[in-house]
Amino acid sequence: MTSFVRRTLLATTVLASATIGFSAAHAEEAAPAAAATASAADEQDNPTSVGTGARDRGADIVVTARRRQESSQEVPLAISVVGGEHIDSTGSFNVGRLQQLTPTLQYYSSNPRNTAVNIRGLGVPFGLTNDGIEQGVGIYVDDVYNSRVASATFDFLDVAQVEVLRGPQGTLYGKNTTAGAINITTNQPTFDFEGKAEVSIGNYNFKQAKAAISGPLTDNLAARIAVSSTSRKGTIYNVTTGEHIQSQDNLGLRGQLLWKPTDTIDVTLAGDFSNQDANCCGSVYVRTGATQRAINRQFAALAAAQGYAPPSLNAFDRLTDLDTDLRAKNKIGGASLRVKWELGEGTLTSITAWRFWDWDPSNDRDFTGLPIVALSQNPSQQDQYTQELRYNYSSDKIDFVVGAFGFYQRIDTQGTEAQGAAASRWSINPGSVAAVPPGSSGCGTSAANQLACDPTVLDGLVAYNTQYLKNTSAALYGQLSWHITPELTLQPGVRLNYDKKEGYYQRRVFDGQGNELLLGLPSYTARQSAQLAIYTPQEISPTFSDWNFSYDFTASYKVAQDVLLYATYAKSFKSGGINQNGVPVDGSNNPILATATVKPESVHHYEAGIKTQFWDRKATLNLSIFRTDITNYQANVNNGQYGVLRGYLANAGAVRSQGVEADFSVRPSERFNAYVNGAYTDATYRKFTDAPCPPELSGGTTVTSTTTVSPAGTPGGISPENCDISGQRLPGVSKFSFSFGAEVNAPAKLLGKEGEVYFGYDGSVRSNFSSNPSPSAYTWIDGYSLHNFRAGFRTESGFDVYGWVRNAFDENYFEQLMVGPGNTGLIAGLPGDPRTWGFTIKSAF
């Protein structure tokens, strides 16, 4: 089989979800990603190099997610693998786009800071980001842990392969993760000269350019440099500013040096920098729903009182009128030193890394064109340092990995929130329903009228938030594989972990004249009380520290050469956390210090699966069934007021995620391949009796649970203090999700060049999901399907030109819905991308 066919098969079919784990035959330390990719392609001519033996067609997928090079069909853990070429051809240029190809991955982002990456519905709580907790899904780039989920919003840069591991990963990874890991490997420096370049253009003024060059500097020193630039006009038009928002403006650079002083030592020094400077991030009006507020305090009445109307009642007109300058400046980068030394029967690896993240935002937190919240921004700066040392050993009967990991990060945040000229009338109750009928200004002579109708009461009210976090973590981990027989392997793993968090949060509040508002005074004027109801001063210094011991055990049995059974149990944890955005207050506006920390999550995970290849290894079918039980689940609780507290963390009693996953791929010939991946996920709160209520039960007179509560969405009704949402679905989780695709090609000649023409298709379908931590009738997002096509011509030398269309049928769908502050019933949303199309030309040299 020619190298051209090998490469195109690998590029178009490496999207295959497999079930992998640890194998004696491949227990050596992972080779660089470029070598791993080459091995996968070479196996089609040398079928015994990786995998389980000779095969006539197709290739085993080589993965490094288990910190060693191995075949995806040989070892027991659920994983989805996407090759770099498939990432490029499908436009999956960041983790968010990758979810269309991997059904169990969920990605939600209202801006780079407020981004959630979950697997099987687990990872981080849905809502505003709180720095005081850990990520449940670890993101690794070339073995380096990225603690900031904002890294998921950046463009992939010179990526060889992305592997999405499902389930707890604590005994083989430096940083413990309870839901899974995203393992990204980039192309490594080579001692043979090579290069590639790619340019794309499309509608919405889309422009993207990528280039990479690699080669030797001396006999034992090689270098690789890669660059990527992406820009695109926004998909939402702001009628207030006359600008398109949700644009893209990304730049990425990566440089690597590989030094091989001897045949047994590899030293890689890498550095990278990525910058985003988009006109972002905003929302559009979606709908309103009735809450328990009095009717004159509902959105329609409040808007009419100030003569306001959204620019469109149809969200898919993609119009907004946000009146606050939007900014989402985002810089991330760092450097790492990886040393690999073949020592005895194994490999000793050291990874030393530093990473930074600078975030400079500006948001419109009232989601309207009215000057209610005039300013909302929380710029922050983060530095993290990691050191990992591990040793991989392999023999005929026993393989093991032992490692040590150290982590330290410091985050500093300087927040500013300010009220505008429309805030008084919007946020202060001017009187009763009878006194203020809907649509009237409500400006009478009563004291309440005077406060609500005096813009100076809240205009200029400002809160300055200062916070920092120091986070230290250390761990010892290890995993042993005992091959009792060639068919049966037992694999125990252990982890000892220590975490310490020290935080500080201070909110100082000043009125429009620059006078500081303090707590603890003998009395307050009505004006001051109204101001303190919006922004309350607070100062806390929460701390948390704890040791944790966790473990897992996997048994796998090879029923036949191409049939593997496995079962796994894992007792894992997610470290406890601290509330970094403030905590609730009591009736005297004093912080409730008991809520300053949240308990660690306790995780029990069960999984079983089967991996098969058949039809002379032209087809693969993998099945897995899983259940994850979590007690003390760390949930995000959102407060309905504008500025008292945007959100804080609390422990839900119990959560369960369970389901079935199936992954099928077929490659009957070098001219056709196809795949279908599907998942059924049942992720629910098993016990959450004191959850925040959805908007339809919020905003009214608050009562205890012993008092009769008004029906949901009853203006002027009675609201419970909290709600029991036990048994309801976790946010962001579709019960059913599928991805599927195919590619066909045929020999052809173009402009005198021998090559092939090809046509590819990738689609995805997901059922409905909740877009609010407490499921609400107003925030269910309907299921949708997306369909992408590409067609082009490519040659053996690496020349490739093709046209593409994404969301080909222009499906209208939402990525996220958000409840407007204040329980007014406003629902805002982020529409998904409309149909986009363009052309790409790439070449290798």
Side-chain angles (χ1 to χ4, degrees):
M1 187 178 294
T2 68
S3 61
F4 174 46
V5 172
R6 291 202 312 268
R7 183 170 63 251
T8 55
L9 280 175
L10 181 66
T12 57
T13 64
V14 74
L15 173 65
S17 293
T19 314
I20 71 163
F22 186 81
S23 169
H26 313 290
E28 62 190 9
E29 177 72 9
T37 306
S39 297
D42 291 345
E43 186 190 339
Q44 304 194 41
D45 281 345
N46 181 17
T48 60
S49 64
V50 176
T52 58
R55 59 190 300 173
D56 295 326
R57 294 184 178 89
D60 282 348
I61 298 170
V62 176
V63 296
T64 61
R66 305 289 288 186
R67 303 311 197 192
R68 60 189 62 83
Q69 184 178 334
E70 52 197 350
S71 165
S72 65
Q73 287 296 107
E74 281 295 300
V75 284
L77 181 83
I79 187 172
S80 299
V81 185
V82 187
E85 292 291 336
H86 201 84
I87 287 171
D88 290 340
S89 64
T90 57
S92 305
F93 52 80
N94 61 26
V95 172
R97 295 294 186 92
L98 195 64
Q99 70 172 337
Q100 295 182 22
L101 304 179
T102 53
T104 54
L105 177 68
Q106 293 96 32
Y107 172 96
Y108 309 98
S109 179
S110 57
N111 61 43
R113 174 178 171 82
N114 293 311
T115 296
V117 177
N118 288 350
I119 293 175
R120 295 170 172 171
L122 305 175
V124 292
F126 196 85
L128 293 171
T129 296
N130 195 311
D131 294 326
I133 62 167
E134 307 287 334
Q135 302 297 320
V137 176
I139 300 175
Y140 293 83
V141 180
D142 291 339
D143 285 351
V144 176
Y145 173 69
N146 286 249
S147 65
R148 302 305 308 184
V149 74
S151 61
T153 69
F154 283 98
D155 291 358
F156 292 140
L157 181 58
D158 198 23
V159 166
Q161 187 164 283
V162 178
E163 301 152 9
V164 180
L165 287 78
R166 284 114 65 179
Q169 307 297 323
T171 63
L172 273 176
Y173 273 72
K175 198 76 172 72
N176 184 66
T177 55
T178 57
I182 299 173
N183 188 51
I184 302 170
T185 52
T186 68
N187 292 306
Q188 299 294 296
T190 60
F191 285 95
D192 293 322
F193 178 79
E194 66 179 38
K196 60 181 181 179
E198 174 183 325
V199 175
S200 300
I201 59 172
N203 63 337
Y204 289 93
N205 293 330
F206 176 76
K207 294 183 285 290
Q208 187 176 70
K210 301 178 181 180
I213 189 169
S214 179
L217 300 180
T218 68
D219 290 342
N220 59 7
L221 185 66
R224 186 179 191 95
I225 299 176
V227 61
S228 172
S229 176
T230 303
S231 64
R232 192 191 72 175
K233 184 176 71 174
T235 56
I236 297 173
Y237 183 71
N238 190 332
V239 300
T240 299
T241 63
E243 298 176 329
H244 285 84
I245 66 170
Q246 310 302 91
S247 64
Q248 295 173 8
D249 188 359
N250 305 339
L251 174 67
L253 302 168
R254 176 184 294 275
Q256 300 174 88
L257 286 174
L258 171 62
W259 179 44
K260 292 180 65 69
T262 71
D263 291 339
T264 60
I265 298 177
D266 290 357
V267 180
T268 304
L269 176 66
D272 67 279
F273 173 78
S274 295
N275 181 72
Q276 291 178 334
D277 189 10
N279 189 358
C280 187
C281 298
S283 59
V284 299
Y285 172 91
V286 176
R287 65 175 68 98
T288 57
T291 72
Q292 304 294 84
R293 268 189 163 201
I295 194 167
N296 69 308
R297 306 295 295 144
Q298 305 272 340
F299 178 83
L302 290 169
Q306 301 202 49
Y308 172 76
S312 174
L313 300 182
N314 180 0
F316 296 105
D317 286 340
R318 302 179 185 273
L319 298 176
T320 192
D321 60 350
L322 303 179
D323 60 326
T324 299
D325 289 337
L326 299 180
R327 185 171 65 253
K329 293 185 176 181
N330 200 19
K331 297 178 182 178
I332 198 165
S336 65
L337 179 68
R338 180 177 59 193
V339 180
K340 294 172 58 177
W341 181 17
E342 294 180 15
L343 187 63
E345 297 297 320
T347 302
L348 181 66
T349 303
S350 171
I351 303 144
T352 306
W354 160 73
R355 299 204 62 75
F356 73 89
W357 180 53
D358 288 340
W359 168 236
D360 182 11
S362 178
N363 307 296
D364 193 323
R365 284 284 300 156
D366 58 52
F367 304 145
T368 73
L370 288 171
I372 303 169
V373 179
L375 196 62
S376 178
Q377 54 193 41
N378 285 277
S380 62
Q381 308 81 41
Q382 183 243 337
D383 287 276
Q384 71 164 60
Y385 304 87
T386 57
Q387 173 63 56
E388 185 170 5
L389 189 68
R390 65 174 182 264
Y391 182 71
N392 293 58
Y393 172 86
S394 176
S395 68
D396 292 339
K397 281 290 185 179
I398 293 178
D399 309 316
F400 67 81
V401 178
V402 293
F405 178 77
F407 169 83
Y408 175 80
Q409 72 170 339
R410 165 96 187 210
I411 304 174
D412 290 277
T413 302
Q414 312 83 35
T416 305
E417 299 173 69
Q419 299 285 291
S424 296
R425 182 61 185 87
W426 194 272
S427 301
I428 300 174
N429 190 344
S432 67
V433 175
V436 189
S440 72
S441 68
C443 294
T445 59
S446 70
N449 288 154
Q450 292 173 4
L451 286 174
C453 299
D454 180 357
T456 67
V457 174
L458 295 185
D459 190 15
L461 180 71
V462 62
Y464 297 108
N465 306 320
T466 301
Q467 56 180 287
Y468 70 76
L469 170 71
K470 300 176 184 178
N471 186 3
T472 303
S473 179
L476 299 174
Y477 62 89
Q479 189 180 90
L480 170 71
S481 289
W482 178 23
H483 310 290
I484 298 177
T485 70
E487 295 80 22
L488 177 64
T489 298
L490 301 181
Q491 179 183 294
V494 295
R495 179 185 185 89
L496 180 64
N497 202 92
Y498 174 75
D499 285 290
K500 181 179 181 180
K501 297 180 175 68
E502 301 173 84
Y504 175 76
Y505 174 84
Q506 181 194 63
R507 166 172 283 192
R508 300 180 65 189
V509 180
F510 297 83
D511 64 18
Q513 289 73 47
N515 302 308
E516 185 170 8
L517 300 177
L518 302 173
L519 295 179
L521 299 180
S523 63
Y524 297 95
T525 65
R527 184 185 185 96
Q528 290 173 326
S529 296
Q531 293 166 341
L532 288 170
I534 301 299
Y535 294 144
T536 304
Q538 187 173 117
E539 185 171 5
I540 58 173
S541 299
T543 61
F544 171 87
S545 63
D546 196 19
W547 288 87
N548 194 284
F549 178 74
S550 57
Y551 52 89
D552 56 40
F553 182 81
T554 298
S556 60
Y557 187 77
K558 203 165 206 179
V559 179
Q561 181 179 7
D562 294 325
V563 180
L564 180 71
L565 299 175
Y566 74 93
T568 296
Y569 167 72
K571 171 63 176 73
S572 187
F573 75 101
K574 186 161 79 169
S575 171
I578 59 178
N579 269 303
Q580 278 296 104
N581 295 340
V583 297
V585 296
D586 59 21
S588 300
N589 282 328
N590 296 312
I592 304 174
L593 296 180
T595 63
T597 60
V598 290
K599 300 175 183 177
E601 292 183 355
S602 178
V603 181
H604 294 268
H605 175 76
Y606 313 85
E607 187 155 347
I610 181 172
K611 296 167 46 64
T612 66
Q613 294 182 86
F614 55 95
W615 193 16
D616 196 21
R617 292 197 176 181
K618 300 171 188 174
T620 299
L621 175 63
N622 300 325
L623 300 172
S624 61
I625 183 171
F626 66 91
R627 174 170 154 178
T628 304
D629 288 310
I630 302 177
T631 55
N632 290 323
Y633 177 77
Q634 294 169 359
N636 206 12
V637 178
N638 292 315
N639 187 286
Q641 299 184 44
Y642 280 107
V644 175
L645 190 61
R646 299 200 316 170
Y648 65 98
L649 297 167
N651 290 107
V655 157
R656 174 178 296 165
S657 177
Q658 59 189 358
V660 179
E661 298 165 343
D663 310 306
F664 172 76
S665 63
V666 61
R667 190 185 302 116
S669 76
E670 63 189 50
R671 298 301 175 198
F672 177 77
N673 63 82
Y675 67 92
V676 179
N677 304 323
Y680 167 77
T681 307
D682 178 27
T684 57
Y685 298 103
R686 303 306 299 167
K687 184 180 181 182
F688 198 2
T689 58
D690 55 353
C693 291
E696 56 265 40
L697 282 172
S698 301
T701 303
T702 303
V703 297
T704 63
S705 58
T706 59
T707 304
T708 301
V709 174
S710 302
T714 302
I718 299 175
S719 297
E721 285 186 309
N722 45 54
C723 288
D724 184 353
I725 60 173
S726 303
Q728 298 196 48
R729 202 188 312 176
L730 289 177
V733 185
S734 296
K735 281 197 172 183
F736 297 94
S737 55
F738 300 91
S739 62
F740 36 84
E743 185 175 290
V744 60
N745 64 73
K749 190 172 184 179
L750 181 66
L751 301 176
K753 295 180 178 289
E754 296 287 346
E756 63 184 25
V757 294
Y758 61 92
F759 177 80
Y761 163 76
D762 295 278
S764 63
V765 175
R766 65 181 301 184
S767 60
N768 71 344
F769 61 94
S770 169
S771 188
N772 195 55
S774 295
S776 165
Y778 306 144
T779 57
W780 282 97
I781 293 180
D782 293 337
Y784 57 86
S785 63
L786 300 175
H787 306 271
N788 307 326
F789 298 91
R790 62 187 181 278
F793 172 82
R794 59 193 171 210
T795 69
E796 184 174 358
S797 64
F799 175 78
D800 191 358
V801 58
Y802 61 96
W804 45 266
V805 57
R806 292 157 192 155
N807 189 9
F809 304 120
D810 206 17
E811 177 96 350
N812 286 330
Y813 68 100
F814 290 106
E815 293 183 346
Q816 194 172 343
L817 294 178
M818 296 162 290
V819 177
N823 296 310
T824 68
L826 171 64
I827 305 297
L830 301 176
D833 279 354
R835 179 193 298 118
T836 57
W837 52 265
F839 302 91
T840 297
I841 182 169
K842 61 173 67 174
S843 181
F845 52 89

